[in-house]
Amino acid sequence: MNQSIEVKRVSTKEELEHVFAIRRIVFVDEQNCPPELEWEFEDESVHFIGTVNAEPAGAARWRKTDKGYKLERFAVLKEYRGIGLGQALVGAVIYDLPQDATYVYLHAQLAAMSLYAKFGFKKAGEQFEEAGIQHFKMVL
């Protein structure tokens, strides 16, 4: 079956509410992340929503930190995994970064590292725990 995948920068309050709902399902409900750790830096982040056949299905964001540009909160609803939405989200977020984004990094859950590696991200440093989940820092 043909899936129409689209990723765009969030521009409405309704889209942002969909982003937060997706993140709540994936991170808080599925992965048991503490809700107080999930909702931070929202106002300074650039958010993205991914849709499949016009249905909200994925989310991501980037923000400028004191180190560089951090890609974060990549989430795809379970029923939409494995069809390329995660890859579309990563590509759209990277494409949207400002010209001065010379240092780009993220904290990758172990299961997602191969996805980020497809875009040229390389593991940097030791494995660590964040919100109860094992991660590696990866740098583009």
Side-chain angles (χ1 to χ4, degrees):
M1 186 173 138
N2 253 354
Q3 306 280 5
S4 171
I5 294 173
E6 185 183 344
V7 176
K8 65 180 212 161
R9 199 174 183 164
V10 167
S11 60
T12 68
K13 185 172 172 40
E14 183 185 19
E15 289 171 343
L16 191 59
E17 287 170 4
H18 286 303
V19 163
F20 291 160
I22 290 164
R23 285 174 37 196
R24 184 171 37 260
I25 291 166
V26 172
F27 296 126
V28 178
D29 298 346
E30 273 183 41
Q31 298 184 348
N32 297 311
C33 294
E36 64 274 10
L37 294 181
E38 179 51 35
W39 315 111
E40 58 183 5
F41 308 114
E42 303 305 341
D43 293 340
E44 63 196 65
S45 298
V46 176
H47 298 272
F48 295 81
I49 186 152
T51 58
V52 176
N53 300 329
E55 291 295 317
R61 75 181 193 192
W62 67 258
R63 67 184 171 95
K64 188 169 187 178
T65 70
D66 57 352
K67 296 180 190 85
Y69 287 86
K70 187 175 185 191
L71 281 48
E72 301 178 300
R73 304 303 198 269
F74 287 93
V76 174
L77 295 175
K78 195 180 288 184
E79 59 268 32
Y80 297 106
R81 292 179 192 153
I83 61 169
L85 179 56
Q87 204 161 325
L89 281 161
V90 177
V93 172
I94 291 171
Y95 183 78
D96 188 73
L97 289 169
Q99 292 287 71
D100 70 342
T102 54
Y103 187 77
V104 179
Y105 68 105
L106 51 79
H107 292 171
Q109 292 185 13
L110 303 187
M113 290 177 67
S114 61
L115 168 63
Y116 303 126
K118 288 178 187 173
F119 289 89
F121 282 90
K122 304 265 188 262
K123 185 169 68 168
E126 299 299 312
Q127 187 171 321
F128 62 94
E129 186 179 300
E130 192 171 72
I133 298 169
Q134 292 301 309
H135 289 74
F136 274 100
K137 179 177 181 180
M138 295 185 81
V139 179
L140 185 62

